[in-house]
Amino acid sequence: MLYFCRILLVFIASILLVACEPAGWRDQHGNLVADDSLRGHRTVVNYWAQWCAPCRDELPELNRLADDFPQARVIGIDFDGAVGDALLAASEQMGIEFAVLGQDFAQSRGLAKPQVLPTTYILDEQGQVLHTLLGPQHYEDIAPLLTPAN
């Protein structure tokens, strides 16, 4: 009976620990991107793929935006749906310096999988789509969209 109680206690403790973790997603490095950390911030969500030449050209622009606009969030989504080590390897090969999340993040935000790559969504502080940008974008195209006055 004591053995059963210990197992039950460990099980309950595990459930409680999982429940205490904030809602969110794991990036390519295993870091939690909490849903709460996105609220109140403009968010740039960029769909890219390794085989997409315009995506490769655009990613340094997004890295620069992530550095220059700490009040905004920049998130990448691998169009091909890589996860785990494959996602880490792909993002490193592409030189991505911002968080890359899975399809589950995009689906939770109601973002349709794009028909054109790259596709960039600009979300408002409540997570609603403000802009859908098709094709490669430049720093100067996105930067003005990251301030709440727009």
Side-chain angles (χ1 to χ4, degrees):
M1 181 67 158
L2 182 59
Y3 177 74
F4 175 75
C5 289
R6 285 183 182 169
I7 290 175
L8 184 60
L9 184 60
V10 168
F11 176 74
I12 291 171
S14 299
I15 297 292
L16 290 174
L17 286 175
V18 169
C20 290
E21 183 172 281
W25 305 267
R26 296 283 172 187
D27 71 8
Q28 73 271 36
H29 301 289
N31 300 320
L32 180 69
V33 177
D35 191 40
D36 289 346
S37 73
L38 301 176
R39 289 192 193 116
H41 301 279
R42 292 281 167 104
T43 303
V44 177
V45 180
N46 176 261
Y47 271 90
W48 58 271
Q50 285 183 285
W51 47 264
C52 170
C55 298
R56 290 178 182 275
D57 294 338
E58 179 185 59
L59 288 168
E61 303 283 318
L62 296 170
N63 285 337
R64 184 175 161 210
L65 284 164
D67 285 342
D68 289 356
F69 288 87
Q71 75 278 14
R73 304 294 182 259
V74 179
I75 294 171
I77 306 290
D78 178 22
F79 181 80
D80 295 323
V83 295
D85 291 341
L87 181 60
L88 176 60
S91 63
E92 286 178 347
Q93 182 187 34
M94 298 290 283
I96 298 173
E97 298 171 3
F98 47 87
V100 178
L101 304 176
Q103 298 291 340
D104 56 335
F105 171 81
Q107 290 168 352
S108 74
R109 293 294 189 249
L111 304 177
K113 192 167 184 178
Q115 301 298 310
V116 174
L117 286 182
T119 291
T120 303
Y121 296 102
I122 308 297
L123 309 181
D124 69 11
E125 293 77 6
Q126 291 75 43
Q128 301 300 310
V129 176
L130 287 175
H131 304 281
T132 301
L133 309 171
L134 303 177
Q137 304 299 310
H138 298 281
Y139 180 94
E140 294 78 16
D141 300 326
I142 298 175
L145 305 175
L146 298 183
T147 57
N150 291 311

